[in-house]
Amino acid sequence: MSTIPAFSLSDQSIETGATLHWNYGTPQLVESALANDEGKMARHGPLVVQTGAHTGRSAKDKFIVQDDETRDSIWWGQTNVPMAPEHFAALKADFLAAVNDKTQLYVADLYGGSQAEHRVNVRVINELAWHNLFIRTLLVRPEPGELADFVPEYTIIDLPSFRADPERHGCRSETVIAVNFTEKLILIGGTKYAGEMKKSVFGLLNYLLPQKGIMPMHCSANIGPGGDTAIFFGLSGTGKTTLSADASRTLIGDDEHGWSDSAVFNFEGGCYAKMIRLSEEAEPEIYATTRRFGTVLENVVMDEDTRALDFDDSSLAENTRGAYPIDFIPNASKDNLGPVPKNVIMLTADAFGVLPPIARLTPDQAMYHFLSGYTAKVAGTEIGVTEPEATFSTCFGAPFMPRHPSVYGNLLKERIAKGGVTCWLVNTGWTGGKYGVGNRMPIKDTRALLNAALDGSLNDVEFRLDPNFGFEVPVSVPGVNAAILDPRGTWANGEEYDAMAYKLVSLFVENFEQFAAHVDQSVREAALKAA
């Protein structure tokens, strides 16, 4: 039964002749998507959709309106690109005209954030039923009794059929994602990639929460049997979703969280996992969601006759994705939150084969590596990438951080110090040589090292100081081959390792120059130094 709130679109000065489908549930939205020919149902019930030309975020088409609210608070640059208020006004007028012309629209009233005192009311208006299902799955769903009196604080209008005019709208192409913090309005047009909505809400919370002293994070989080929370920072491909979906621990969430004085709370009510090369053996909890009604699978190849899924087929996209409610993971937190963390894990996939599988960080080193946000691309993932290529995405999520990275870095350092948190750097990348020569870090060893870190036993082993990075590396850990703990020893030629380590350290040093003036002296002292 859908609920129509008292606060209507007309109350927001949004007029339309469309039939409005308010706060539909999953069955209604799946039925609508199928009736509209927006997707197909696979064997076992998931909805399979294609996003067309846009199989990922259109990062270069995202803009923030530069006005009195944002002029001095946004970290302007290549990531946060300004849009003039007059261009946004023209874009808004054209969006509202397009909304008025639609024959049907799907409207969902949702929360961004699971901790009641820190959440944001978000209204999402979609032309596609499956987009409405996606965002309803990914954000936090209000209780039925809360919907009648729902009043949105922020509104997203998502029209994939809209085509922007770069000259009139001050954008780059026919695709546009425009954020106006003053008007509390986000306009998304020209792309069917549903993740733009999810990440827009993340960016919104990343802007609002630091003002309240809350640390917003691009991370996954889970809770151990003893009530100990762990958070996992990491860029795409580092294992953030996989490692947090641990059958022995309770999942809080897989992507976006806040760290308040009393809790780590999920911004979302669902998960958005990579599906490419998914296997039941390696990731049974995630694999099981692909056999559930209510899961949305993006760009996953399906046999038209048998409706069987082929997770190894990347012909539609490498970035195949699945969106599913968090309670599809059997051991998910019912409250979507947990205690403040005892451990912080920073994940990196080091394709240079230099970093050890795990290292213990001081608070200053943790802030340094958080601001660095290092991982590596490997050959073949992008056109022109033939050698491992370092990627530094500050705060492990630069595209979603509107404020200066030092704001988030200082918040993290304060939280770590206040809570006596232990910090770890975990390399899920390569060992025994760079990509193409060495091998991927065995996941069984990564899990064993993580378990030892989280249960506290790793703190009791002998450590050595890494000569290149200065952090502490365990010498031996029960159940783990000691040879893998010394990356130099895994290379056939130690001098080649030294040369690659020198190269990687130099890249870290060069990248950190932009932050040095914005951090404490103790963090500068913890920073890597050029040889």
Side-chain angles (χ1 to χ4, degrees):
M1 190 74 176
S2 59
T3 301
I4 302 176
F7 193 84
S8 68
L9 293 189
S10 294
D11 292 322
Q12 298 180 259
S13 299
I14 300 174
E15 303 296 339
T16 181
T19 300
L20 299 178
H21 305 290
W22 283 95
N23 294 309
Y24 270 15
T26 296
Q28 294 164 300
L29 289 170
V30 171
E31 288 171 353
S32 296
L34 294 173
N36 298 341
D37 199 26
E38 296 173 10
K40 297 182 179 180
M41 188 171 286
R43 185 189 297 178
H44 307 299
L47 180 68
V48 180
V49 297
Q50 294 183 17
T51 63
H54 296 271
T55 60
R57 290 184 308 103
S58 300
K60 294 181 180 179
D61 294 307
K62 177 189 168 189
F63 302 86
I64 298 174
V65 176
Q66 188 176 60
D67 55 17
D68 291 343
E69 162 70 27
T70 59
R71 189 167 288 108
D72 298 323
S73 57
I74 298 293
W75 183 41
W76 301 109
Q78 291 185 340
T79 298
N80 297 310
V81 180
M83 173 179 279
E86 55 269 26
H87 282 136
F88 184 85
L91 182 67
K92 177 182 175 182
D94 292 346
F95 255 79
L96 293 181
V99 165
N100 193 39
D101 286 342
K102 297 299 174 188
T103 58
Q104 60 179 350
L105 291 166
Y106 301 86
V107 187
D109 291 326
L110 301 159
Y111 297 134
S114 298
Q115 192 168 10
E117 57 267 43
H118 303 310
R119 69 192 181 198
V120 175
N121 292 8
V122 181
R123 173 167 288 172
V124 187
I125 303 167
N126 300 107
E127 65 175 319
L128 295 178
W130 86 259
H131 269 207
N132 202 246
L133 173 60
F134 173 93
I135 199 62
R136 184 182 181 276
T137 300
L138 266 296
L139 294 188
V140 179
R141 297 163 289 282
E143 295 297 325
E146 298 174 317
L147 287 171
D149 299 323
F150 189 96
V151 177
E153 297 169 72
Y154 286 81
T155 300
I156 297 173
I157 303 177
D158 169 57
L159 304 177
S161 66
F162 185 89
R163 295 294 178 264
D165 179 342
E167 184 175 351
R168 173 171 164 76
H169 301 137
C171 53
R172 189 187 70 97
S173 72
E174 291 185 336
T175 299
V176 66
I177 301 97
V179 182
N180 190 318
F181 286 109
T182 300
E183 296 191 28
K184 300 184 177 180
L185 180 63
I186 299 170
L187 305 175
I188 302 172
T191 173
K192 286 177 69 177
Y193 182 68
E196 297 287 9
M197 293 181 288
K198 159 190 160 65
K199 288 305 183 186
S200 291
V201 176
F202 186 37
L204 170 63
L205 290 166
N206 285 336
Y207 181 76
L208 297 174
L209 292 181
Q211 294 175 301
K212 302 171 70 174
I214 296 166
M215 174 69 190
M217 303 175 291
H218 185 212
C219 69
S220 57
N222 62 25
I223 313 168
D228 58 299
T229 297
I231 57 178
F232 301 77
F233 289 107
L235 299 171
S236 179
T238 58
K240 184 161 52 73
T241 297
T242 300
L243 293 171
S244 60
D246 184 331
S248 67
R249 298 175 66 86
T250 300
L251 180 69
I252 300 174
D254 80 326
D255 198 34
E256 303 169 3
H257 296 80
W259 182 350
S260 68
D261 288 338
S262 59
V264 168
F265 61 97
N266 195 348
F267 288 169
E268 303 181 298
C271 300
Y272 193 37
K274 277 198 167 185
M275 292 288 147
I276 194 69
R277 291 175 285 279
L278 178 71
S279 74
E280 186 173 15
E281 295 72 27
E283 300 176 81
E285 293 87 2
I286 296 173
Y287 184 86
T289 69
T290 69
R291 304 165 73 87
R292 295 282 299 269
F293 176 81
T295 292
V296 180
L297 298 175
E298 293 179 332
N299 302 313
V300 174
V301 174
M302 179 183 73
D303 185 286
E304 291 289 336
D305 295 325
T306 66
R307 300 301 171 102
L309 301 169
D310 185 350
F311 296 108
D312 295 323
D313 191 334
S314 61
S315 59
L316 292 177
E318 179 73 19
N319 186 36
T320 58
R321 292 274 182 168
Y324 49 88
I326 193 169
D327 59 17
F328 279 15
I329 300 296
N331 55 329
S333 165
K334 291 181 180 179
D335 298 321
N336 243 9
L337 50 78
V340 295
K342 290 188 176 180
N343 288 279
V344 167
I345 296 98
M346 298 183 187
L347 300 168
T348 181
D350 176 29
F352 293 90
V354 169
L355 293 175
I358 196 166
R360 187 167 62 187
L361 308 175
T362 67
D364 289 316
Q365 288 173 334
M367 182 172 175
Y368 176 83
H369 283 278
F370 179 71
L371 289 175
S372 298
Y374 165 69
T375 192
K377 298 175 184 176
V378 298
T381 57
E382 290 187 13
I383 295 172
V385 178
T386 56
E387 290 288 322
E389 186 176 293
T391 296
F392 293 96
S393 183
T394 186
C395 308
F396 293 98
F400 322 118
M401 302 296 173
R403 298 183 183 273
H404 192 277
S406 62
V407 172
Y408 308 104
N410 284 319
L411 270 172
L412 179 67
K413 185 182 175 184
E414 291 167 13
R415 292 271 172 208
I416 289 171
K418 187 175 181 179
V421 180
T422 306
C423 300
W424 307 91
L425 182 70
V426 172
N427 174 23
T428 61
W430 274 257
T431 182
K434 67 179 183 179
Y435 173 82
V437 177
N439 300 302
R440 193 76 191 252
M441 200 72 70
I443 193 167
K444 65 178 181 62
D445 289 324
T446 299
R447 286 200 180 276
L449 290 167
L450 267 178
N451 290 339
L454 298 180
D455 68 19
S457 60
L458 193 55
N459 287 311
D460 299 327
V461 306
E462 180 185 355
F463 285 80
R464 64 175 177 84
L465 279 182
D466 184 273
N468 296 301
F469 288 85
F471 42 47
E472 295 181 309
V473 180
V475 174
S476 64
V477 178
V480 176
N481 180 3
I484 205 171
L485 297 172
D486 178 10
R488 189 179 192 273
T490 65
W491 282 53
N493 186 316
E495 291 183 354
E496 289 183 3
Y497 170 86
D498 293 338
M500 191 62 76
Y502 175 83
K503 177 181 178 179
L504 184 57
V505 168
S506 299
L507 292 171
F508 266 87
V509 171
E510 180 183 357
N511 176 72
F512 194 71
E513 289 175 359
Q514 62 186 309
F515 305 123
H518 300 278
V519 299
D520 296 340
Q521 178 61 29
S522 59
V523 178
R524 287 195 288 271
E525 291 173 357
L528 302 185
K529 308 296 189 293

